[in-house]
PDB file of all heavy atoms in Angstrom:
ATOM      1  N   PHE A 255      91.245  92.574  77.018  1.00 98.00           N
ATOM      2  CA  PHE A 255      90.311  91.646  77.651  1.00 98.00           C
ATOM      3  C   PHE A 255      90.024  92.021  79.095  1.00 98.00           C
ATOM      4  O   PHE A 255      89.002  91.607  79.661  1.00 98.00           O
ATOM      5  CB  PHE A 255      90.819  90.203  77.549  1.00 98.00           C
ATOM      6  CG  PHE A 255      90.316  89.489  76.328  1.00 98.00           C
ATOM      7  CD1 PHE A 255      91.098  89.392  75.185  1.00 98.00           C
ATOM      8  CD2 PHE A 255      89.048  88.937  76.304  1.00 98.00           C
ATOM      9  CE1 PHE A 255      90.627  88.746  74.055  1.00 98.00           C
ATOM     10  CE2 PHE A 255      88.558  88.296  75.182  1.00 98.00           C
ATOM     11  CZ  PHE A 255      89.348  88.192  74.043  1.00 98.00           C
ATOM     12  N   ARG A 256      90.876  92.812  79.714  1.00 98.00           N
ATOM     13  CA  ARG A 256      90.621  93.281  81.081  1.00 98.00           C
ATOM     14  C   ARG A 256      89.343  94.110  81.149  1.00 98.00           C
ATOM     15  O   ARG A 256      88.708  94.220  82.197  1.00 98.00           O
ATOM     16  CB  ARG A 256      91.837  94.087  81.555  1.00 98.00           C
ATOM     17  CG  ARG A 256      91.685  94.685  82.935  1.00 98.00           C
ATOM     18  CD  ARG A 256      91.512  93.615  84.012  1.00 98.00           C
ATOM     19  NE  ARG A 256      91.410  94.243  85.314  1.00 98.00           N
ATOM     20  CZ  ARG A 256      90.314  94.837  85.798  1.00 98.00           C
ATOM     21  NH1 ARG A 256      89.191  94.857  85.060  1.00 98.00           N
ATOM     22  NH2 ARG A 256      90.316  95.396  86.983  1.00 98.00           N
ATOM     23  N   GLN A 257      88.923  94.674  79.998  1.00 98.00           N
ATOM     24  CA  GLN A 257      87.664  95.418  79.951  1.00 98.00           C
ATOM     25  C   GLN A 257      86.461  94.513  80.189  1.00 98.00           C
ATOM     26  O   GLN A 257      85.429  94.956  80.699  1.00 98.00           O
ATOM     27  CB  GLN A 257      87.535  96.114  78.587  1.00 98.00           C
ATOM     28  CG  GLN A 257      86.203  96.774  78.314  1.00 98.00           C
ATOM     29  CD  GLN A 257      85.911  97.923  79.274  1.00 98.00           C
ATOM     30  OE1 GLN A 257      86.819  98.496  79.861  1.00 98.00           O
ATOM     31  NE2 GLN A 257      84.645  98.265  79.422  1.00 98.00           N
ATOM     32  N   TRP A 258      86.582  93.239  79.854  1.00 98.00           N
ATOM     33  CA  TRP A 258      85.458  92.315  79.951  1.00 98.00           C
ATOM     34  C   TRP A 258      85.491  91.439  81.216  1.00 98.00           C
ATOM     35  O   TRP A 258      84.514  90.788  81.531  1.00 98.00           O
ATOM     36  CB  TRP A 258      85.415  91.415  78.713  1.00 98.00           C
ATOM     37  CG  TRP A 258      84.806  92.088  77.517  1.00 98.00           C
ATOM     38  CD1 TRP A 258      83.503  92.033  77.123  1.00 98.00           C
ATOM     39  CD2 TRP A 258      85.461  92.935  76.565  1.00 98.00           C
ATOM     40  NE1 TRP A 258      83.304  92.780  75.988  1.00 98.00           N
ATOM     41  CE2 TRP A 258      84.494  93.348  75.622  1.00 98.00           C
ATOM     42  CE3 TRP A 258      86.780  93.380  76.414  1.00 98.00           C
ATOM     43  CZ2 TRP A 258      84.797  94.192  74.546  1.00 98.00           C
ATOM     44  CZ3 TRP A 258      87.082  94.222  75.338  1.00 98.00           C
ATOM     45  CH2 TRP A 258      86.101  94.607  74.426  1.00 98.00           C
ATOM     46  N   SER A 259      86.610  91.422  81.880  1.00 98.00           N
ATOM     47  CA  SER A 259      86.705  90.597  83.094  1.00 98.00           C
ATOM     48  C   SER A 259      87.782  91.148  84.024  1.00 98.00           C
ATOM     49  O   SER A 259      88.811  91.656  83.568  1.00 98.00           O
ATOM     50  CB  SER A 259      87.045  89.147  82.714  1.00 98.00           C
ATOM     51  OG  SER A 259      87.272  88.370  83.878  1.00 98.00           O
ATOM     52  N   GLU A 260      87.535  91.026  85.335  1.00 98.00           N
ATOM     53  CA  GLU A 260      88.540  91.430  86.321  1.00 98.00           C
ATOM     54  C   GLU A 260      89.549  90.322  86.582  1.00 98.00           C
ATOM     55  O   GLU A 260      90.567  90.549  87.228  1.00 98.00           O
ATOM     56  CB  GLU A 260      87.853  91.821  87.636  1.00 98.00           C
ATOM     57  CG  GLU A 260      86.974  93.058  87.521  1.00 98.00           C
ATOM     58  CD  GLU A 260      86.348  93.440  88.853  1.00 98.00           C
ATOM     59  OE1 GLU A 260      86.553  92.690  89.845  1.00 98.00           O
ATOM     60  OE2 GLU A 260      85.671  94.483  88.915  1.00 98.00           O
ATOM     61  N   ASP A 261      89.263  89.117  86.064  1.00 98.00           N
ATOM     62  CA  ASP A 261      90.127  87.962  86.301  1.00 98.00           C
ATOM     63  C   ASP A 261      90.835  87.578  85.007  1.00 98.00           C
ATOM     64  O   ASP A 261      90.409  86.687  84.274  1.00 98.00           O
ATOM     65  CB  ASP A 261      89.291  86.789  86.830  1.00 98.00           C
ATOM     66  CG  ASP A 261      90.142  85.603  87.229  1.00 98.00           C
ATOM     67  OD1 ASP A 261      91.386  85.682  87.113  1.00 98.00           O
ATOM     68  OD2 ASP A 261      89.573  84.575  87.647  1.00 98.00           O
ATOM     69  N   VAL A 262      91.920  88.284  84.727  1.00 98.00           N
ATOM     70  CA  VAL A 262      92.713  88.031  83.529  1.00 98.00           C
ATOM     71  C   VAL A 262      94.143  87.703  83.940  1.00 98.00           C
ATOM     72  O   VAL A 262      94.733  88.401  84.764  1.00 98.00           O
ATOM     73  CB  VAL A 262      92.707  89.243  82.572  1.00 98.00           C
ATOM     74  CG1 VAL A 262      93.602  88.988  81.360  1.00 98.00           C
ATOM     75  CG2 VAL A 262      91.292  89.577  82.128  1.00 98.00           C
ATOM     76  N   VAL A 263      94.676  86.647  83.364  1.00 98.00           N
ATOM     77  CA  VAL A 263      96.055  86.228  83.615  1.00 98.00           C
ATOM     78  C   VAL A 263      96.805  86.212  82.294  1.00 98.00           C
ATOM     79  O   VAL A 263      96.266  85.762  81.268  1.00 98.00           O
ATOM     80  CB  VAL A 263      96.096  84.822  84.263  1.00 98.00           C
ATOM     81  CG1 VAL A 263      97.506  84.247  84.240  1.00 98.00           C
ATOM     82  CG2 VAL A 263      95.571  84.879  85.685  1.00 98.00           C
ATOM     83  N   PHE A 264      98.055  86.707  82.307  1.00 98.00           N
ATOM     84  CA  PHE A 264      98.884  86.684  81.103  1.00 98.00           C
ATOM     85  C   PHE A 264      99.920  85.580  81.226  1.00 98.00           C
ATOM     86  O   PHE A 264     100.757  85.582  82.141  1.00 98.00           O
ATOM     87  CB  PHE A 264      99.587  88.029  80.910  1.00 98.00           C
ATOM     88  CG  PHE A 264     100.445  88.080  79.678  1.00 98.00           C
ATOM     89  CD1 PHE A 264      99.874  88.166  78.421  1.00 98.00           C
ATOM     90  CD2 PHE A 264     101.834  88.031  79.772  1.00 98.00           C
ATOM     91  CE1 PHE A 264     100.651  88.201  77.278  1.00 98.00           C
ATOM     92  CE2 PHE A 264     102.623  88.072  78.637  1.00 98.00           C
ATOM     93  CZ  PHE A 264     102.036  88.154  77.384  1.00 98.00           C
ATOM     94  N   PHE A 265      99.838  84.613  80.294  1.00 98.00           N
ATOM     95  CA  PHE A 265     100.825  83.535  80.246  1.00 98.00           C
ATOM     96  C   PHE A 265     101.955  83.964  79.309  1.00 98.00           C
ATOM     97  O   PHE A 265     101.731  84.151  78.111  1.00 98.00           O
ATOM     98  CB  PHE A 265     100.179  82.241  79.740  1.00 98.00           C
ATOM     99  CG  PHE A 265      99.151  81.671  80.677  1.00 98.00           C
ATOM    100  CD1 PHE A 265      97.799  81.881  80.456  1.00 98.00           C
ATOM    101  CD2 PHE A 265      99.538  80.942  81.792  1.00 98.00           C
ATOM    102  CE1 PHE A 265      96.848  81.354  81.316  1.00 98.00           C
ATOM    103  CE2 PHE A 265      98.597  80.402  82.656  1.00 98.00           C
ATOM    104  CZ  PHE A 265      97.249  80.618  82.432  1.00 98.00           C
ATOM    105  N   GLN A 266     103.144  84.099  79.871  1.00 97.00           N
ATOM    106  CA  GLN A 266     104.269  84.563  79.078  1.00 97.00           C
ATOM    107  C   GLN A 266     104.581  83.601  77.938  1.00 97.00           C
ATOM    108  O   GLN A 266     105.037  84.012  76.873  1.00 97.00           O
ATOM    109  CB  GLN A 266     105.499  84.738  79.970  1.00 97.00           C
ATOM    110  CG  GLN A 266     106.666  85.416  79.287  1.00 97.00           C
ATOM    111  CD  GLN A 266     107.796  85.645  80.282  1.00 97.00           C
ATOM    112  OE1 GLN A 266     107.580  86.107  81.405  1.00 97.00           O
ATOM    113  NE2 GLN A 266     109.003  85.301  79.872  1.00 97.00           N
ATOM    114  N   HIS A 267     104.364  82.315  78.176  1.00 97.00           N
ATOM    115  CA  HIS A 267     104.550  81.271  77.163  1.00 97.00           C
ATOM    116  C   HIS A 267     105.964  81.352  76.574  1.00 97.00           C
ATOM    117  O   HIS A 267     106.929  81.246  77.296  1.00 97.00           O
ATOM    118  CB  HIS A 267     103.452  81.378  76.107  1.00 97.00           C
ATOM    119  CG  HIS A 267     103.364  80.226  75.173  1.00 97.00           C
ATOM    120  ND1 HIS A 267     103.402  78.911  75.602  1.00 97.00           N
ATOM    121  CD2 HIS A 267     103.251  80.169  73.804  1.00 97.00           C
ATOM    122  CE1 HIS A 267     103.318  78.104  74.559  1.00 97.00           C
ATOM    123  NE2 HIS A 267     103.226  78.835  73.467  1.00 97.00           N
ATOM    124  N   THR A 268     106.088  81.560  75.283  1.00 94.00           N
ATOM    125  CA  THR A 268     107.410  81.582  74.649  1.00 94.00           C
ATOM    126  C   THR A 268     107.939  82.994  74.433  1.00 94.00           C
ATOM    127  O   THR A 268     108.999  83.175  73.824  1.00 94.00           O
ATOM    128  CB  THR A 268     107.351  80.859  73.295  1.00 94.00           C
ATOM    129  OG1 THR A 268     106.355  81.480  72.484  1.00 94.00           O
ATOM    130  CG2 THR A 268     106.995  79.380  73.476  1.00 94.00           C
ATOM    131  N   MET A 269     107.238  84.000  74.932  1.00 95.00           N
ATOM    132  CA  MET A 269     107.661  85.378  74.749  1.00 95.00           C
ATOM    133  C   MET A 269     108.752  85.758  75.741  1.00 95.00           C
ATOM    134  O   MET A 269     108.901  85.150  76.798  1.00 95.00           O
ATOM    135  CB  MET A 269     106.471  86.335  74.913  1.00 95.00           C
ATOM    136  CG  MET A 269     105.494  86.332  73.759  1.00 95.00           C
ATOM    137  SD  MET A 269     104.154  87.531  73.999  1.00 95.00           S
ATOM    138  CE  MET A 269     105.075  89.085  74.097  1.00 95.00           C
ATOM    139  N   SER A 270     109.463  86.822  75.396  1.00 95.00           N
ATOM    140  CA  SER A 270     110.403  87.407  76.349  1.00 95.00           C
ATOM    141  C   SER A 270     109.602  88.066  77.468  1.00 95.00           C
ATOM    142  O   SER A 270     108.421  88.400  77.287  1.00 95.00           O
ATOM    143  CB  SER A 270     111.281  88.455  75.660  1.00 95.00           C
ATOM    144  OG  SER A 270     112.021  87.880  74.601  1.00 95.00           O
ATOM    145  N   PRO A 271     110.223  88.272  78.628  1.00 95.00           N
ATOM    146  CA  PRO A 271     109.499  88.939  79.715  1.00 95.00           C
ATOM    147  C   PRO A 271     109.018  90.312  79.279  1.00 95.00           C
ATOM    148  O   PRO A 271     109.646  90.964  78.427  1.00 95.00           O
ATOM    149  CB  PRO A 271     110.556  89.040  80.819  1.00 95.00           C
ATOM    150  CG  PRO A 271     111.532  87.959  80.522  1.00 95.00           C
ATOM    151  CD  PRO A 271     111.571  87.855  79.022  1.00 95.00           C
ATOM    152  N   PRO A 272     107.914  90.781  79.813  1.00 97.00           N
ATOM    153  CA  PRO A 272     107.433  92.126  79.484  1.00 97.00           C
ATOM    154  C   PRO A 272     108.486  93.177  79.803  1.00 97.00           C
ATOM    155  O   PRO A 272     109.281  93.010  80.733  1.00 97.00           O
ATOM    156  CB  PRO A 272     106.183  92.294  80.369  1.00 97.00           C
ATOM    157  CG  PRO A 272     105.752  90.902  80.683  1.00 97.00           C
ATOM    158  CD  PRO A 272     107.000  90.087  80.753  1.00 97.00           C
ATOM    159  N   THR A 273     108.482  94.255  79.020  1.00 97.00           N
ATOM    160  CA  THR A 273     109.357  95.374  79.329  1.00 97.00           C
ATOM    161  C   THR A 273     108.901  96.005  80.647  1.00 97.00           C
ATOM    162  O   THR A 273     107.810  95.698  81.163  1.00 97.00           O
ATOM    163  CB  THR A 273     109.311  96.428  78.220  1.00 97.00           C
ATOM    164  OG1 THR A 273     107.981  96.991  78.174  1.00 97.00           O
ATOM    165  CG2 THR A 273     109.652  95.813  76.866  1.00 97.00           C
ATOM    166  N   ALA A 274     109.710  96.899  81.176  1.00 97.00           N
ATOM    167  CA  ALA A 274     109.354  97.560  82.437  1.00 97.00           C
ATOM    168  C   ALA A 274     108.026  98.306  82.301  1.00 97.00           C
ATOM    169  O   ALA A 274     107.172  98.264  83.202  1.00 97.00           O
ATOM    170  CB  ALA A 274     110.467  98.517  82.844  1.00 97.00           C
ATOM    171  N   GLU A 275     107.840  98.983  81.164  1.00 98.00           N
ATOM    172  CA  GLU A 275     106.592  99.716  80.947  1.00 98.00           C
ATOM    173  C   GLU A 275     105.404  98.761  80.860  1.00 98.00           C
ATOM    174  O   GLU A 275     104.340  99.018  81.442  1.00 98.00           O
ATOM    175  CB  GLU A 275     106.693 100.546  79.664  1.00 98.00           C
ATOM    176  CG  GLU A 275     105.431 101.344  79.365  1.00 98.00           C
ATOM    177  CD  GLU A 275     105.523 102.122  78.056  1.00 98.00           C
ATOM    178  OE1 GLU A 275     106.485 101.902  77.298  1.00 98.00           O
ATOM    179  OE2 GLU A 275     104.616 102.936  77.793  1.00 98.00           O
ATOM    180  N   GLN A 276     105.559  97.666  80.109  1.00 98.00           N
ATOM    181  CA  GLN A 276     104.477  96.695  79.989  1.00 98.00           C
ATOM    182  C   GLN A 276     104.157  96.036  81.317  1.00 98.00           C
ATOM    183  O   GLN A 276     102.977  95.847  81.669  1.00 98.00           O
ATOM    184  CB  GLN A 276     104.863  95.634  78.957  1.00 98.00           C
ATOM    185  CG  GLN A 276     104.938  96.146  77.525  1.00 98.00           C
ATOM    186  CD  GLN A 276     105.576  95.142  76.591  1.00 98.00           C
ATOM    187  OE1 GLN A 276     106.376  94.289  77.009  1.00 98.00           O
ATOM    188  NE2 GLN A 276     105.240  95.220  75.305  1.00 98.00           N
ATOM    189  N   ALA A 277     105.189  95.689  82.076  1.00 98.00           N
ATOM    190  CA  ALA A 277     104.978  95.065  83.383  1.00 98.00           C
ATOM    191  C   ALA A 277     104.207  95.999  84.301  1.00 98.00           C
ATOM    192  O   ALA A 277     103.324  95.563  85.061  1.00 98.00           O
ATOM    193  CB  ALA A 277     106.315  94.689  84.001  1.00 98.00           C
ATOM    194  N   GLU A 278     104.506  97.283  84.242  1.00 98.00           N
ATOM    195  CA  GLU A 278     103.793  98.253  85.067  1.00 98.00           C
ATOM    196  C   GLU A 278     102.328  98.347  84.647  1.00 98.00           C
ATOM    197  O   GLU A 278     101.424  98.420  85.497  1.00 98.00           O
ATOM    198  CB  GLU A 278     104.471  99.614  84.950  1.00 98.00           C
ATOM    199  CG  GLU A 278     103.839 100.690  85.831  1.00 98.00           C
ATOM    200  CD  GLU A 278     104.537 102.019  85.701  1.00 98.00           C
ATOM    201  OE1 GLU A 278     104.826 102.445  84.554  1.00 98.00           O
ATOM    202  OE2 GLU A 278     104.790 102.659  86.751  1.00 98.00           O
ATOM    203  N   GLN A 279     102.094  98.347  83.342  1.00 98.00           N
ATOM    204  CA  GLN A 279     100.720  98.417  82.857  1.00 98.00           C
ATOM    205  C   GLN A 279      99.919  97.205  83.311  1.00 98.00           C
ATOM    206  O   GLN A 279      98.772  97.334  83.778  1.00 98.00           O
ATOM    207  CB  GLN A 279     100.716  98.503  81.323  1.00 98.00           C
ATOM    208  CG  GLN A 279     101.256  99.803  80.766  1.00 98.00           C
ATOM    209  CD  GLN A 279     101.404  99.763  79.260  1.00 98.00           C
ATOM    210  OE1 GLN A 279     101.500  98.692  78.655  1.00 98.00           O
ATOM    211  NE2 GLN A 279     101.430 100.934  78.618  1.00 98.00           N
ATOM    212  N   LEU A 280     100.489  96.027  83.161  1.00 98.00           N
ATOM    213  CA  LEU A 280      99.798  94.807  83.574  1.00 98.00           C
ATOM    214  C   LEU A 280      99.535  94.813  85.077  1.00 98.00           C
ATOM    215  O   LEU A 280      98.427  94.461  85.532  1.00 98.00           O
ATOM    216  CB  LEU A 280     100.621  93.587  83.175  1.00 98.00           C
ATOM    217  CG  LEU A 280     100.756  93.337  81.658  1.00 98.00           C
ATOM    218  CD1 LEU A 280     101.809  92.273  81.387  1.00 98.00           C
ATOM    219  CD2 LEU A 280      99.422  92.922  81.053  1.00 98.00           C
ATOM    220  N   ALA A 281     100.537  95.218  85.856  1.00 98.00           N
ATOM    221  CA  ALA A 281     100.363  95.252  87.316  1.00 98.00           C
ATOM    222  C   ALA A 281      99.294  96.257  87.716  1.00 98.00           C
ATOM    223  O   ALA A 281      98.470  95.989  88.607  1.00 98.00           O
ATOM    224  CB  ALA A 281     101.698  95.585  87.986  1.00 98.00           C
ATOM    225  N   ALA A 282      99.282  97.405  87.046  1.00 98.00           N
ATOM    226  CA  ALA A 282      98.294  98.434  87.379  1.00 98.00           C
ATOM    227  C   ALA A 282      96.879  97.967  87.088  1.00 98.00           C
ATOM    228  O   ALA A 282      95.934  98.388  87.767  1.00 98.00           O
ATOM    229  CB  ALA A 282      98.605  99.712  86.586  1.00 98.00           C
ATOM    230  N   ARG A 283      96.720  97.094  86.116  1.00 98.00           N
ATOM    231  CA  ARG A 283      95.409  96.580  85.768  1.00 98.00           C
ATOM    232  C   ARG A 283      95.091  95.262  86.470  1.00 98.00           C
ATOM    233  O   ARG A 283      94.060  94.648  86.207  1.00 98.00           O
ATOM    234  CB  ARG A 283      95.312  96.388  84.245  1.00 98.00           C
ATOM    235  CG  ARG A 283      95.359  97.692  83.464  1.00 98.00           C
ATOM    236  CD  ARG A 283      94.138  98.552  83.726  1.00 98.00           C
ATOM    237  NE  ARG A 283      92.993  98.078  82.955  1.00 98.00           N
ATOM    238  CZ  ARG A 283      91.727  98.356  83.243  1.00 98.00           C
ATOM    239  NH1 ARG A 283      91.432  99.091  84.291  1.00 98.00           N
ATOM    240  NH2 ARG A 283      90.761  97.895  82.480  1.00 98.00           N
ATOM    241  N   GLY A 284      95.979  94.829  87.346  1.00 98.00           N
ATOM    242  CA  GLY A 284      95.711  93.611  88.110  1.00 98.00           C
ATOM    243  C   GLY A 284      95.788  92.351  87.280  1.00 98.00           C
ATOM    244  O   GLY A 284      95.030  91.393  87.517  1.00 98.00           O
ATOM    245  N   ILE A 285      96.708  92.316  86.325  1.00 98.00           N
ATOM    246  CA  ILE A 285      96.869  91.158  85.447  1.00 98.00           C
ATOM    247  C   ILE A 285      98.185  90.457  85.802  1.00 98.00           C
ATOM    248  O   ILE A 285      99.259  90.939  85.440  1.00 98.00           O
ATOM    249  CB  ILE A 285      96.879  91.578  83.965  1.00 98.00           C
ATOM    250  CG1 ILE A 285      95.584  92.325  83.601  1.00 98.00           C
ATOM    251  CG2 ILE A 285      97.056  90.356  83.054  1.00 98.00           C
ATOM    252  CD1 ILE A 285      95.585  92.912  82.201  1.00 98.00           C
ATOM    253  N   PRO A 286      98.128  89.331  86.507  1.00 98.00           N
ATOM    254  CA  PRO A 286      99.368  88.604  86.844  1.00 98.00           C
ATOM    255  C   PRO A 286     100.052  88.061  85.598  1.00 98.00           C
ATOM    256  O   PRO A 286      99.397  87.715  84.616  1.00 98.00           O
ATOM    257  CB  PRO A 286      98.873  87.459  87.737  1.00 98.00           C
ATOM    258  CG  PRO A 286      97.490  87.838  88.149  1.00 98.00           C
ATOM    259  CD  PRO A 286      96.938  88.678  87.046  1.00 98.00           C
ATOM    260  N   VAL A 287     101.386  87.982  85.663  1.00 98.00           N
ATOM    261  CA  VAL A 287     102.180  87.385  84.593  1.00 98.00           C
ATOM    262  C   VAL A 287     102.712  86.048  85.087  1.00 98.00           C
ATOM    263  O   VAL A 287     103.353  85.981  86.141  1.00 98.00           O
ATOM    264  CB  VAL A 287     103.348  88.296  84.179  1.00 98.00           C
ATOM    265  CG1 VAL A 287     104.212  87.605  83.113  1.00 98.00           C
ATOM    266  CG2 VAL A 287     102.831  89.634  83.659  1.00 98.00           C
ATOM    267  N   ILE A 288     102.427  84.996  84.336  1.00 97.00           N
ATOM    268  CA  ILE A 288     102.879  83.657  84.706  1.00 97.00           C
ATOM    269  C   ILE A 288     103.944  83.221  83.704  1.00 97.00           C
ATOM    270  O   ILE A 288     103.671  83.104  82.502  1.00 97.00           O
ATOM    271  CB  ILE A 288     101.710  82.665  84.727  1.00 97.00           C
ATOM    272  CG1 ILE A 288     100.688  83.089  85.788  1.00 97.00           C
ATOM    273  CG2 ILE A 288     102.202  81.247  84.989  1.00 97.00           C
ATOM    274  CD1 ILE A 288      99.487  82.184  85.889  1.00 97.00           C
ATOM    275  N   ALA A 289     105.157  82.997  84.195  1.00 96.00           N
ATOM    276  CA  ALA A 289     106.251  82.575  83.336  1.00 96.00           C
ATOM    277  C   ALA A 289     106.132  81.092  83.014  1.00 96.00           C
ATOM    278  O   ALA A 289     105.448  80.339  83.719  1.00 96.00           O
ATOM    279  CB  ALA A 289     107.589  82.870  84.011  1.00 96.00           C
ATOM    280  N   GLY A 290     106.798  80.679  81.946  1.00 96.00           N
ATOM    281  CA  GLY A 290     106.781  79.274  81.564  1.00 96.00           C
ATOM    282  C   GLY A 290     105.864  79.009  80.393  1.00 96.00           C
ATOM    283  O   GLY A 290     104.813  79.648  80.246  1.00 96.00           O
ATOM    284  N   ALA A 291     106.277  78.052  79.562  1.00 97.00           N
ATOM    285  CA  ALA A 291     105.497  77.729  78.365  1.00 97.00           C
ATOM    286  C   ALA A 291     104.233  76.962  78.723  1.00 97.00           C
ATOM    287  O   ALA A 291     104.227  76.133  79.644  1.00 97.00           O
ATOM    288  CB  ALA A 291     106.345  76.902  77.403  1.00 97.00           C
ATOM    289  N   VAL A 292     103.174  77.249  78.003  1.00 98.00           N
ATOM    290  CA  VAL A 292     101.917  76.493  78.123  1.00 98.00           C
ATOM    291  C   VAL A 292     102.043  75.269  77.217  1.00 98.00           C
ATOM    292  O   VAL A 292     102.310  75.399  76.022  1.00 98.00           O
ATOM    293  CB  VAL A 292     100.707  77.348  77.713  1.00 98.00           C
ATOM    294  CG1 VAL A 292      99.436  76.517  77.728  1.00 98.00           C
ATOM    295  CG2 VAL A 292     100.584  78.564  78.615  1.00 98.00           C
ATOM    296  N   SER A 293     101.829  74.089  77.777  1.00 98.00           N
ATOM    297  CA  SER A 293     101.992  72.867  76.987  1.00 98.00           C
ATOM    298  C   SER A 293     100.671  72.254  76.550  1.00 98.00           C
ATOM    299  O   SER A 293     100.625  71.553  75.533  1.00 98.00           O
ATOM    300  CB  SER A 293     102.793  71.827  77.774  1.00 98.00           C
ATOM    301  OG  SER A 293     102.102  71.467  78.961  1.00 98.00           O
ATOM    302  N   ALA A 294      99.600  72.487  77.323  1.00 98.00           N
ATOM    303  CA  ALA A 294      98.336  71.824  76.983  1.00 98.00           C
ATOM    304  C   ALA A 294      97.146  72.601  77.520  1.00 98.00           C
ATOM    305  O   ALA A 294      97.243  73.339  78.502  1.00 98.00           O
ATOM    306  CB  ALA A 294      98.315  70.398  77.537  1.00 98.00           C
TER     307      ALA A 294
END
């Protein structure tokens, strides 16, 4: 989805934290990771 917008946020929700490689990829593409479950 980063291809379609520069403003993309990843909600970790119920997943485990991204691996080191994934975290680097997200950071390199300017995609913040927000911890915590989405409730609504």
Side-chain angles (χ1 to χ4, degrees):
F255 268 98
R256 178 62 178 78
Q257 172 64 22
W258 280 266
S259 174
E260 295 182 356
D261 186 1
V262 177
V263 167
F264 181 74
F265 294 100
Q266 189 175 314
H267 191 46
T268 57
M269 286 182 61
S270 300
T273 65
E275 180 182 9
Q276 292 169 334
E278 183 180 46
Q279 291 172 338
L280 293 169
R283 293 294 281 160
I285 302 173
V287 177
I288 298 180
V292 175
S293 62

